[in-house]
PDB file of all heavy atoms in Angstrom:
ATOM      1  N   PHE V   6     -38.853 -24.291 -20.268  1.00 44.00           N
ATOM      2  CA  PHE V   6     -37.810 -23.725 -21.119  1.00 44.00           C
ATOM      3  C   PHE V   6     -38.366 -23.370 -22.486  1.00 44.00           C
ATOM      4  O   PHE V   6     -38.119 -22.283 -23.004  1.00 44.00           O
ATOM      5  CB  PHE V   6     -36.654 -24.720 -21.247  1.00 44.00           C
ATOM      6  CG  PHE V   6     -35.533 -24.228 -22.111  1.00 44.00           C
ATOM      7  CD1 PHE V   6     -34.648 -23.271 -21.632  1.00 44.00           C
ATOM      8  CD2 PHE V   6     -35.351 -24.705 -23.398  1.00 44.00           C
ATOM      9  CE1 PHE V   6     -33.605 -22.812 -22.413  1.00 44.00           C
ATOM     10  CE2 PHE V   6     -34.319 -24.247 -24.188  1.00 44.00           C
ATOM     11  CZ  PHE V   6     -33.446 -23.305 -23.699  1.00 44.00           C
ATOM     12  N   HIS V   7     -39.139 -24.274 -23.070  1.00 43.00           N
ATOM     13  CA  HIS V   7     -39.709 -24.010 -24.398  1.00 43.00           C
ATOM     14  C   HIS V   7     -40.743 -22.896 -24.355  1.00 43.00           C
ATOM     15  O   HIS V   7     -40.814 -22.079 -25.272  1.00 43.00           O
ATOM     16  CB  HIS V   7     -40.306 -25.284 -24.992  1.00 43.00           C
ATOM     17  CG  HIS V   7     -39.268 -26.243 -25.463  1.00 43.00           C
ATOM     18  ND1 HIS V   7     -38.407 -25.966 -26.492  1.00 43.00           N
ATOM     19  CD2 HIS V   7     -38.931 -27.485 -25.021  1.00 43.00           C
ATOM     20  CE1 HIS V   7     -37.585 -26.982 -26.676  1.00 43.00           C
ATOM     21  NE2 HIS V   7     -37.881 -27.929 -25.789  1.00 43.00           N
ATOM     22  N   GLN V   8     -41.534 -22.830 -23.295  1.00 42.00           N
ATOM     23  CA  GLN V   8     -42.506 -21.758 -23.160  1.00 42.00           C
ATOM     24  C   GLN V   8     -41.809 -20.410 -23.097  1.00 42.00           C
ATOM     25  O   GLN V   8     -42.233 -19.431 -23.696  1.00 42.00           O
ATOM     26  CB  GLN V   8     -43.371 -21.946 -21.897  1.00 42.00           C
ATOM     27  CG  GLN V   8     -44.334 -23.073 -22.001  1.00 42.00           C
ATOM     28  CD  GLN V   8     -45.473 -22.757 -22.967  1.00 42.00           C
ATOM     29  OE1 GLN V   8     -45.318 -22.065 -23.972  1.00 42.00           O
ATOM     30  NE2 GLN V   8     -46.638 -23.294 -22.680  1.00 42.00           N
ATOM     31  N   TYR V   9     -40.738 -20.369 -22.357  1.00 42.00           N
ATOM     32  CA  TYR V   9     -39.979 -19.133 -22.192  1.00 42.00           C
ATOM     33  C   TYR V   9     -39.406 -18.670 -23.522  1.00 42.00           C
ATOM     34  O   TYR V   9     -39.486 -17.506 -23.878  1.00 42.00           O
ATOM     35  CB  TYR V   9     -38.864 -19.358 -21.161  1.00 42.00           C
ATOM     36  CG  TYR V   9     -37.904 -18.199 -21.056  1.00 42.00           C
ATOM     37  CD1 TYR V   9     -38.262 -17.041 -20.396  1.00 42.00           C
ATOM     38  CD2 TYR V   9     -36.649 -18.263 -21.639  1.00 42.00           C
ATOM     39  CE1 TYR V   9     -37.402 -15.979 -20.305  1.00 42.00           C
ATOM     40  CE2 TYR V   9     -35.782 -17.201 -21.552  1.00 42.00           C
ATOM     41  CZ  TYR V   9     -36.159 -16.064 -20.879  1.00 42.00           C
ATOM     42  OH  TYR V   9     -35.296 -15.010 -20.803  1.00 42.00           O
ATOM     43  N   HIS V  10     -38.829 -19.567 -24.279  1.00 43.00           N
ATOM     44  CA  HIS V  10     -38.185 -19.181 -25.534  1.00 43.00           C
ATOM     45  C   HIS V  10     -39.172 -18.925 -26.657  1.00 43.00           C
ATOM     46  O   HIS V  10     -38.831 -18.270 -27.628  1.00 43.00           O
ATOM     47  CB  HIS V  10     -37.161 -20.234 -25.955  1.00 43.00           C
ATOM     48  CG  HIS V  10     -35.882 -20.101 -25.196  1.00 43.00           C
ATOM     49  ND1 HIS V  10     -35.032 -19.061 -25.378  1.00 43.00           N
ATOM     50  CD2 HIS V  10     -35.336 -20.861 -24.220  1.00 43.00           C
ATOM     51  CE1 HIS V  10     -33.998 -19.177 -24.564  1.00 43.00           C
ATOM     52  NE2 HIS V  10     -34.160 -20.267 -23.844  1.00 43.00           N
ATOM     53  N   GLN V  11     -40.401 -19.412 -26.546  1.00 42.00           N
ATOM     54  CA  GLN V  11     -41.381 -19.127 -27.581  1.00 42.00           C
ATOM     55  C   GLN V  11     -41.923 -17.712 -27.468  1.00 42.00           C
ATOM     56  O   GLN V  11     -42.345 -17.125 -28.447  1.00 42.00           O
ATOM     57  CB  GLN V  11     -42.536 -20.134 -27.503  1.00 42.00           C
ATOM     58  CG  GLN V  11     -42.115 -21.512 -27.978  1.00 42.00           C
ATOM     59  CD  GLN V  11     -43.219 -22.531 -27.801  1.00 42.00           C
ATOM     60  OE1 GLN V  11     -44.276 -22.236 -27.259  1.00 42.00           O
ATOM     61  NE2 GLN V  11     -42.974 -23.746 -28.271  1.00 42.00           N
ATOM     62  N   ASP V  12     -41.907 -17.163 -26.284  1.00 41.00           N
ATOM     63  CA  ASP V  12     -42.385 -15.803 -26.073  1.00 41.00           C
ATOM     64  C   ASP V  12     -41.235 -14.831 -26.333  1.00 41.00           C
ATOM     65  O   ASP V  12     -40.417 -14.576 -25.480  1.00 41.00           O
ATOM     66  CB  ASP V  12     -42.907 -15.635 -24.645  1.00 41.00           C
ATOM     67  CG  ASP V  12     -43.475 -14.249 -24.394  1.00 41.00           C
ATOM     68  OD1 ASP V  12     -43.590 -13.461 -25.364  1.00 41.00           O
ATOM     69  OD2 ASP V  12     -43.803 -13.956 -23.234  1.00 41.00           O
ATOM     70  N   GLU V  13     -41.172 -14.279 -27.535  1.00 40.00           N
ATOM     71  CA  GLU V  13     -40.054 -13.428 -27.925  1.00 40.00           C
ATOM     72  C   GLU V  13     -40.090 -12.054 -27.273  1.00 40.00           C
ATOM     73  O   GLU V  13     -39.109 -11.322 -27.315  1.00 40.00           O
ATOM     74  CB  GLU V  13     -40.007 -13.292 -29.441  1.00 40.00           C
ATOM     75  CG  GLU V  13     -39.673 -14.607 -30.123  1.00 40.00           C
ATOM     76  CD  GLU V  13     -39.648 -14.479 -31.631  1.00 40.00           C
ATOM     77  OE1 GLU V  13     -39.612 -13.332 -32.135  1.00 40.00           O
ATOM     78  OE2 GLU V  13     -39.665 -15.505 -32.306  1.00 40.00           O
ATOM     79  N   SER V  14     -41.206 -11.700 -26.658  1.00 37.00           N
ATOM     80  CA  SER V  14     -41.282 -10.387 -26.018  1.00 37.00           C
ATOM     81  C   SER V  14     -40.580 -10.372 -24.660  1.00 37.00           C
ATOM     82  O   SER V  14     -40.339  -9.325 -24.095  1.00 37.00           O
ATOM     83  CB  SER V  14     -42.737  -9.963 -25.839  1.00 37.00           C
ATOM     84  OG  SER V  14     -43.371 -10.824 -24.909  1.00 37.00           O
ATOM     85  N   THR V  15     -40.246 -11.542 -24.141  1.00 37.00           N
ATOM     86  CA  THR V  15     -39.587 -11.631 -22.849  1.00 37.00           C
ATOM     87  C   THR V  15     -38.077 -11.580 -23.034  1.00 37.00           C
ATOM     88  O   THR V  15     -37.518 -12.320 -23.832  1.00 37.00           O
ATOM     89  CB  THR V  15     -39.968 -12.951 -22.140  1.00 37.00           C
ATOM     90  OG1 THR V  15     -41.383 -13.043 -22.082  1.00 37.00           O
ATOM     91  CG2 THR V  15     -39.392 -13.008 -20.746  1.00 37.00           C
ATOM     92  N   ALA V  16     -37.427 -10.728 -22.275  1.00 37.00           N
ATOM     93  CA  ALA V  16     -35.967 -10.618 -22.359  1.00 37.00           C
ATOM     94  C   ALA V  16     -35.327 -11.799 -21.650  1.00 37.00           C
ATOM     95  O   ALA V  16     -35.873 -12.323 -20.683  1.00 37.00           O
ATOM     96  CB  ALA V  16     -35.510  -9.321 -21.708  1.00 37.00           C
ATOM     97  N   PRO V  17     -34.192 -12.253 -22.108  1.00 37.00           N
ATOM     98  CA  PRO V  17     -33.523 -13.362 -21.445  1.00 37.00           C
ATOM     99  C   PRO V  17     -33.121 -12.983 -20.025  1.00 37.00           C
ATOM    100  O   PRO V  17     -32.757 -11.851 -19.754  1.00 37.00           O
ATOM    101  CB  PRO V  17     -32.294 -13.632 -22.311  1.00 37.00           C
ATOM    102  CG  PRO V  17     -32.164 -12.485 -23.221  1.00 37.00           C
ATOM    103  CD  PRO V  17     -33.465 -11.765 -23.255  1.00 37.00           C
ATOM    104  N   THR V  18     -33.185 -13.970 -19.131  1.00 36.00           N
ATOM    105  CA  THR V  18     -32.858 -13.708 -17.743  1.00 36.00           C
ATOM    106  C   THR V  18     -31.468 -14.201 -17.377  1.00 36.00           C
ATOM    107  O   THR V  18     -31.083 -14.135 -16.224  1.00 36.00           O
ATOM    108  CB  THR V  18     -33.876 -14.378 -16.805  1.00 36.00           C
ATOM    109  OG1 THR V  18     -33.874 -15.785 -17.076  1.00 36.00           O
ATOM    110  CG2 THR V  18     -35.256 -13.807 -17.000  1.00 36.00           C
TER     111      THR V  18
END
Side-chain angles (χ1 to χ4, degrees):
F6 180 76
H7 286 296
Q8 289 289 34
Y9 172 76
H10 281 290
Q11 288 176 356
D12 183 7
E13 293 179 15
S14 66
T15 306
T18 58

